[in-house]
Amino acid sequence: MSEPTIEGSCHCGAITIRIARAPTSVSECNCSLCRRIGGFWHYLTPAEVAVTGEAKGYVQGDCMLTNWHCPTCGCTTHWTAIDPDYDRMAVNMRMFAPEIWETLPRELVDGASF
Ligand SMILES: [Zn+2]
């Protein structure tokens, strides 16, 4: 597996995220939380992601995910699964240089219907 070398960060720079592979599309979710965050998600395995800094977690109701944000600037940086066996997480590509993601296809995830 390649090293996580593509780097993004929250606005103030306290949280940095490095990913091992660039996305080929970004996902937009219409669930009650994601539609507020407005994130463009890129799904990876936890082994493909390196996060530094002290992000603050938020768990939505009965949701199985923790959404992480910077306590200083408020940017939502990524989410992780609460179940340690669930080998999937996502980073918010809006924390990365727009050149990496802005022209990619956007997939709609119908999280509101789950
Ligand atoms: Zn920040």
Side-chain angles (χ1 to χ4, degrees):
M1 191 187 312
S2 53
E3 290 293 307
T5 53
I6 304 165
E7 186 167 308
S9 74
C10 67
H11 190 262
C12 76
I15 312 292
T16 67
I17 321 162
R18 281 178 294 122
I19 54 176
R21 57 185 169 85
T24 52
S25 67
V26 289
S27 295
E28 218 177 330
C29 175
N30 63 357
C31 83
S32 60
L33 182 58
C34 288
R35 70 180 160 84
R36 287 177 165 85
I37 293 168
F40 287 133
W41 304 113
H42 171 34
Y43 305 105
L44 302 118
T45 66
E48 295 174 308
V49 183
V51 179
T52 64
E54 296 293 320
K56 188 165 166 41
Y58 173 71
V59 178
Q60 172 193 9
D62 59 352
C63 195
M64 311 301 286
L65 311 173
T66 304
N67 267 272
W68 297 95
H69 67 270
C70 173
T72 302
C73 67
C75 294
T76 296
T77 50
H78 62 297
W79 62 252
T80 53
I82 290 168
D83 178 352
D85 294 330
Y86 188 71
D87 198 31
R88 186 159 130 125
M89 63 177 288
V91 300
N92 185 359
M93 288 312 294
R94 287 193 184 271
M95 301 304 116
F96 292 74
E99 301 80 59
I100 300 172
W101 56 267
E102 67 185 347
T103 60
L104 296 178
R106 293 177 190 178
E107 317 257 358
L108 271 184
V109 177
D110 188 15
S113 300
F114 289 102

